Amino acid sequence: EGVSMALALQDFSTNSLKLWNTFLNASQGYEGHVYVGLGWAIAEAKPGNLSFINTIPPLMQYRLWDGCGYYNGLFNQRLTIRNQVRPEYINEINFKAYDEGIGRSFWYSFKGDVLRVKDMIQRFSPSRHADLWRGIGIASAYVGGCDEPVLKQLFLSADNHSIQLCIGAAMVAKARVNAQSITQDVDLACAVWCKLTTQEVMLLIDKTESSADSFESFLLQTEMEINKVD
């Protein structure tokens, strides 16, 4: 993600994505991370021309906007967290992905403190809670370090948004399988939250991604599939 950001920043100065695209093409299994890094670069440089985003597959664009939210959640906290303002270049259609990234940043900013994370989310408009909790699910499942009691505490803390933790874990499962870097942490998150193995969750995500034409429809379909599991 950091390399992706650095290359994109260089490319912005020449109004191209030549270096970044070369890196993307060489990053088999880590494409999602590369798009997140591009989001970091956009949040940092705020390029005036974002037309290149239209060339990115719709289900990869959300990784970019997630990256923007994550970056701003960490490095532009006054605007992003205290004032709860989204940048003007974020269209409403991308709010869900952007807020997901902000949620991911909370997990790092508060060092995995569940009570502090819950308190911060409660300070935001209720309309943003689901996406923020999904970001928590992604961050905690991907980075790991959570034992079963902490995962259960998170699930209870998310309350009626607990399904978002499941979706976050599912997204991590797909990323980990693609990168051949499955960990015990994602295995545990999938088992505790989704009642499925990492491989089973990955197959579920494959199914919803193949039929979704937007990030929102992907989220809705994934929620429906997870809710079928008892």
Side-chain angles (χ1 to χ4, degrees):
E1 292 172 6
V3 172
S4 171
M5 176 186 182
L7 293 175
L9 289 173
Q10 291 185 55
D11 280 338
F12 290 164
S13 65
T14 60
N15 294 316
S16 74
L17 283 181
K18 182 178 180 180
L19 295 174
W20 183 85
N21 274 311
T22 299
F23 183 60
L24 174 67
N25 293 333
S27 300
Q28 185 175 1
Y30 290 90
E31 291 88 350
H33 302 74
V34 177
Y35 283 106
V36 168
L38 178 58
W40 291 6
I42 290 173
E44 167 69 21
K46 304 175 186 63
N49 185 359
L50 294 175
S51 60
F52 61 85
I53 294 177
N54 296 325
T55 66
I56 297 174
L59 287 181
M60 280 291 112
Q61 289 183 26
Y62 85 84
R63 300 303 298 271
L64 180 155
W65 297 119
D66 173 303
C68 285
Y70 177 79
Y71 183 93
N72 284 331
L74 286 181
F75 302 112
N76 296 316
Q77 293 188 359
R78 177 176 297 179
L79 178 71
T80 307
I81 298 176
R82 185 182 303 176
N83 298 334
Q84 299 182 15
V85 175
R86 300 182 183 98
E88 292 183 356
Y89 59 79
I90 306 291
N91 296 325
E92 184 175 356
I93 194 174
N94 299 313
F95 283 176
K96 286 184 173 296
Y98 183 78
D99 285 353
E100 176 184 286
I102 295 175
R104 288 201 301 121
S105 78
F106 289 169
W107 190 248
Y108 298 93
S109 295
F110 300 127
K111 300 178 175 62
D113 187 319
V114 177
L115 294 179
R116 292 183 67 192
V117 165
K118 180 180 179 180
D119 176 68
M120 179 54 68
I121 290 178
Q122 291 298 322
R123 299 182 188 186
F124 279 71
S125 165
S127 64
R128 304 178 71 173
H129 289 183
D131 302 312
L132 294 170
W133 275 114
R134 188 172 58 259
I136 295 298
I138 293 171
S140 55
Y142 193 90
V143 174
C146 300
D147 56 18
E148 187 169 340
V150 172
L151 292 174
K152 289 182 176 179
Q153 183 186 10
L154 272 171
F155 199 81
L156 290 174
S157 297
D159 196 20
N160 61 327
H161 295 303
S162 57
I163 188 67
Q164 297 301 324
L165 297 178
C166 301
I167 296 173
M171 294 163 74
V172 170
K174 177 67 181 292
R176 285 292 191 187
V177 170
N178 283 350
Q180 299 181 14
S181 61
I182 298 174
T183 65
Q184 292 181 345
D185 298 288
V186 68
D187 283 342
L188 184 60
C190 289
V192 172
W193 292 341
C194 308
K195 306 296 189 282
L196 295 170
T197 67
T198 298
Q199 291 289 344
E200 289 171 334
V201 173
M202 187 275 292
L203 292 175
L204 182 153
I205 287 289
D206 274 346
K207 177 181 178 181
T208 56
E209 281 190 344
S210 65
S211 58
D213 58 3
S214 69
F215 184 48
E216 185 171 10
S217 65
F218 161 74
L219 293 176
L220 290 173
Q221 290 184 49
T222 303
E223 181 174 345
M224 291 174 59
E225 291 297 321
I226 291 175
N227 278 327
K228 292 178 183 178
V229 180
D230 193 307

